[in-house]
Amino acid sequence: MLKIHFSGEDILRTRVAPAADPVWELVLSLHVLRGRTRDPLTANWRRSVARDLRQDSASEQLRLLFALNPPRGYFPDFLTPYASVGGFEAGLDAVRSTPTELLHRDLSVLASENQLPSSAAALARGEVSALHHLAESMEQYRSLAISPYWGRIQAAVAADRTRRARALLDGGVEGLLTSLRPAMRWESGVLEVHSYPHSRELHLDGRGLLLVPSFFCAATPVALLDPALPPVLVYPVDRLGALVSADASAASGAARESLAALLGRTRAAVLQASDEGCTTGEVARQLNISPAAASQHATVLRNAGLLVSHRERNSVLHTLTPLGRAMLDA
């Protein structure tokens, strides 16, 4: 179990990342791609990415990147720098400028449990060419495995951020931390992360905590090993269905029937009301319809892929998917 200790100052400085973190998603997707878990929501993605890697003969070029990210256990802290909260390029720049002492330390920890290719030695010495090769490998892998699916990844993270925002408005930061159950439990100034692979105590010491919602995070949240680094906790979000690329055909016969059922002013109004996140009860009050009717309309919209719904205690929060937002904007 991981226990994260908060002071009053830490609570004030705790926040949620502003969007999906592209570097964290890249790194964690490598674990999903090569892991044993057969999640049906990522099965098509795994097959497609594996096929593209074989066809593009990219596996050899990505050998070091794969070696740095074993399917299980430790992976280097320097691969997911705090700067990536500012976007992929900012994160990649931070990787390129990683201090040699951090490279050597992280790779020594990794090498104690994993066999690394010879190119890892140059990386551990901080050779500029090795760092640039690693960054190029990350860019290459991203173009194959992340970029075509980025819209769905962003949608899942945005939906989770809406949930956390509601929890924060209703209960402050303590409400936000409480909303992370059941994987985590907030009690008496300590956030306990269940099923963590090692017993650890992390004291924030007034730095606060950055919560990073992640599509590719597995069931167990992830924290950096080095307690001196800015505190980050990456946690899994609801994946909102199977992962498909932006150019994949999403219109099955059932989906087309659901879209046809959307015609009408009331459902358009429900879609509008869900723009910033809205519960079933709030939809009913705004549109002056019964809760049962609001729930029925939301179900049709959800079945058509325009809404995603999350239950929070006695209410259900509805938020837009990218398709729903596109239809609303149109």
Side-chain angles (χ1 to χ4, degrees):
M1 178 184 293
L2 170 63
K3 293 185 177 182
I4 304 176
H5 297 265
F6 290 71
S7 66
E9 190 173 2
D10 291 315
I11 291 177
L12 292 175
R13 293 183 174 178
T14 292
R15 64 270 187 219
V16 179
D21 188 305
V23 177
W24 270 107
E25 296 296 353
L26 184 156
V27 169
L28 293 176
S29 76
L30 284 161
H31 305 169
V32 173
L33 179 65
R34 304 169 67 215
R36 294 178 179 176
T37 302
R38 294 295 183 265
D39 186 340
L41 298 183
T42 58
N44 289 335
W45 171 83
R46 291 174 63 148
R47 286 192 294 269
S48 178
V49 171
R51 182 183 64 249
D52 289 344
L53 289 172
R54 289 192 300 269
Q55 291 176 349
D56 291 359
S57 301
S59 296
E60 184 59 32
Q61 299 175 37
L62 301 177
R63 185 183 177 201
L64 177 60
L65 180 61
F66 287 154
L68 297 180
N69 290 278
R72 295 172 300 282
Y74 172 80
F75 60 94
D77 286 346
F78 76 83
L79 285 177
T80 53
Y82 192 85
S84 66
V85 71
F88 184 69
E89 291 303 325
L92 220 56
D93 286 343
V95 170
R96 293 189 191 98
S97 59
T98 305
T100 302
E101 59 269 23
L102 295 185
L103 291 167
H104 184 269
R105 182 201 63 188
D106 286 4
L107 291 174
S108 295
V109 174
L110 183 65
S112 67
E113 298 181 354
N114 300 272
Q115 185 175 358
L116 300 181
S118 57
S119 55
L123 186 63
R125 293 191 296 269
E127 294 185 11
V128 173
S129 60
L131 282 163
H132 280 266
H133 171 74
L134 176 61
E136 290 169 3
S137 298
M138 294 173 73
E139 289 180 315
Q140 181 180 12
Y141 175 79
R142 181 194 185 211
S143 68
L144 288 172
I146 303 297
S147 295
Y149 308 89
W150 190 239
R152 179 62 63 90
I153 294 169
Q154 287 180 305
V157 170
D160 185 86
R161 277 177 48 81
T162 298
R163 293 177 63 193
R164 306 310 164 195
R166 292 292 295 237
L168 180 66
L169 288 172
D170 292 343
V173 177
E174 291 192 291
L176 165 65
L177 296 171
T178 300
S179 77
L180 297 171
R181 64 186 191 284
M184 294 172 265
R185 185 180 69 167
W186 168 255
E187 185 173 357
S188 303
V190 178
L191 183 64
E192 298 178 347
V193 181
H194 306 299
S195 302
Y196 201 76
H198 308 289
S199 294
R200 287 183 57 194
E201 304 267 343
L202 175 59
H203 293 268
L204 299 178
D205 297 327
R207 296 171 295 174
L209 181 67
L210 177 65
L211 293 163
V212 180
S214 169
F215 185 95
F216 281 108
C217 185
T220 303
V222 179
L224 299 174
L225 181 63
D226 186 354
L229 292 172
V232 171
L233 185 66
V234 184
Y235 66 91
V237 302
D238 187 330
R239 289 174 173 165
L240 309 187
L243 187 60
V244 295
S245 63
D247 59 357
S249 174
S252 64
R256 285 192 295 269
E257 292 176 5
S258 295
L259 287 171
L262 293 177
L263 299 176
R265 293 183 179 180
T266 301
R267 285 182 187 142
V270 172
L271 199 65
Q272 177 70 55
S274 303
D275 187 18
E276 297 297 332
C278 206
T279 66
T280 303
E282 289 168 344
V283 170
R285 288 191 293 273
Q286 285 187 36
L287 305 185
N288 196 27
I289 59 178
S290 70
S295 178
Q296 182 181 22
H297 290 307
T299 298
V300 174
L301 292 164
R302 183 170 62 250
N303 290 341
L306 304 181
L307 289 185
V308 59
S309 303
H310 290 285
R311 177 168 291 280
E312 290 289 343
R313 296 184 179 178
N314 295 325
S315 63
V316 178
L317 179 67
H318 309 290
T319 54
L320 298 181
T321 66
L323 178 60
R325 185 166 298 282
M327 178 167 286
L328 186 63
D329 291 343

